[in-house]
Amino acid sequence: AAELEYESVLCVKPDVNVYRIPPRTSNRGYRASDWKLDHPDWTGRLRVTSKGKTAYIKLEDKVSGELFAQAPIDQYPGIAVETVADSSRYFVIRIQDGTGRSAFIGIGFTDRGDAFDFNVSLQDHFKWVKQETEISKESQEADTRPKLDLGFKEGQTIKLNIGNMTSKKGGAAKPRVSGSGGLSLLPPPPGGKIAVPPIPPPSSTAIANHVTPPPVQKSSNASSADILLDLDAPAAASKAPVSATTDLWGDFSTASSAVPNQAPQQSNWVQF
């Protein structure tokens, strides 16, 4: 009811010409060339309004706005509004008064763009009417259909499978650590120890300065007096002046030659 009481304006054109047209004698369409186009019977303003699903073409006075005639339209195209066969600027409309009487008159626009706007405003309104009719029809059909019962029945259960939510033992899955570029990084091994760097070997100079004398094994044939004599020999020799050509390693060669039966043994010194 509120929709029927609300009236909206669809189109307004300030200049429109009204013609009295002769009655149609045959089934062919109206022709504007049969009218007296140079002498219109009335000139005024045209306003197209809508109330609910019905559109109204109202012819009004330009100055006072007094209604001259109106034509209610239930559908378009239809008998209430018709185009002429020889022009796109002229139309034939059916006007009605409050007593139920009706008559056909011709209207025309000087500008072709005004005629185009008038035609489009009626087309848009009845396109909307058609959509509203289809929507209301579908809603009525939906109300008559049996409604689906989508509720759970007694004892009915559902099972949801959500990926990556539980691990093998039921706990939360551990997130994977990703490095740059999307590559996964492995964690360090447990209980890892830092390797101790190796000790560098001593230089060749230190090895040359350190001389390890070969061990002297006590022979069963040699007496204690011979050992003392061998030890005193280097001491006595050290008191004599040493010439530049004397071999520094001669004492060690004499000591080794004095004991020919001694077999060399492994030294207890560890050479690095």
Side-chain angles (χ1 to χ4, degrees):
E3 184 182 2
L4 295 176
E5 294 177 359
Y6 179 77
E7 184 179 14
S8 61
V9 178
L10 304 179
C11 179
V12 176
K13 294 301 174 183
D15 293 320
V16 63
N17 298 323
V18 176
Y19 304 93
R20 290 182 180 179
I21 60 176
R24 186 167 52 180
T25 58
S26 62
N27 292 332
R28 67 183 182 90
Y30 293 98
R31 297 178 62 87
S33 58
D34 298 337
W35 308 343
K36 298 177 181 180
L37 300 179
D38 297 336
H39 304 281
D41 296 301
W42 184 84
T43 301
R45 178 181 66 187
L46 180 141
R47 191 159 61 99
V48 180
T49 63
S50 65
K51 182 180 291 186
K53 296 182 179 181
T54 305
Y56 296 89
I57 300 175
K58 296 183 178 183
L59 303 175
E60 301 171 344
D61 187 81
K62 291 182 179 181
V63 180
S64 62
E66 182 182 359
L67 181 64
F68 172 73
Q70 71 174 3
I73 305 171
D74 297 332
Q75 64 179 15
Y76 181 78
I79 192 175
V81 179
E82 297 182 45
T83 59
V84 296
D86 57 349
S87 177
S88 62
R89 296 186 292 115
Y90 297 92
F91 302 86
V92 176
I93 63 175
R94 183 183 62 183
I95 58 176
Q96 293 180 351
D97 59 3
T99 61
R101 294 182 302 175
S102 62
F104 290 92
I105 62 174
I107 60 173
F109 301 94
T110 305
D111 189 1
R112 194 176 301 275
D114 293 343
F116 177 80
D117 294 341
F118 168 74
N119 189 20
V120 170
S121 63
L122 292 176
Q123 289 179 354
D124 291 344
H125 171 71
F126 286 99
K127 185 183 296 183
W128 171 81
V129 171
K130 183 179 180 181
Q131 292 177 353
E132 289 293 323
T133 303
E134 293 177 354
I135 292 174
S136 61
K137 183 178 180 181
E138 290 177 358
S139 61
Q140 292 177 359
E141 291 178 355
D143 294 338
T144 56
R145 296 172 185 171
K147 297 182 179 180
L148 298 176
D149 186 9
L150 302 178
F152 285 100
K153 305 299 185 294
E154 183 178 359
Q156 185 179 4
T157 59
I158 61 174
K159 182 180 180 181
L160 299 178
N161 295 326
I162 303 177
N164 298 330
M165 293 298 294
T166 57
S167 61
K168 184 177 180 181
K169 296 183 179 180
K174 296 181 179 180
R176 298 182 62 183
V177 180
S178 299
S180 60
L183 299 177
S184 59
L185 302 179
L186 297 177
K193 296 182 180 180
I194 301 175
V196 179
I199 301 175
S203 61
S204 59
T205 307
I207 297 176
N209 294 334
H210 182 75
V211 180
T212 304
V216 180
Q217 188 176 5
K218 186 176 180 180
S219 175
S220 58
N221 298 328
S223 61
S224 59
D226 296 336
I227 297 174
L228 293 176
L229 291 175
D230 293 336
L231 295 176
D232 292 339
S238 63
K239 294 179 182 181
V242 181
S243 62
T245 58
T246 306
D247 189 4
L248 296 178
W249 301 93
D251 295 337
F252 293 99
S253 302
T254 305
S256 60
S257 61
V259 190
N261 296 330
Q262 291 179 358
Q265 293 185 357
Q266 278 188 333
S267 173
N268 294 329
W269 293 76
V270 179
Q271 183 177 355
F272 293 93

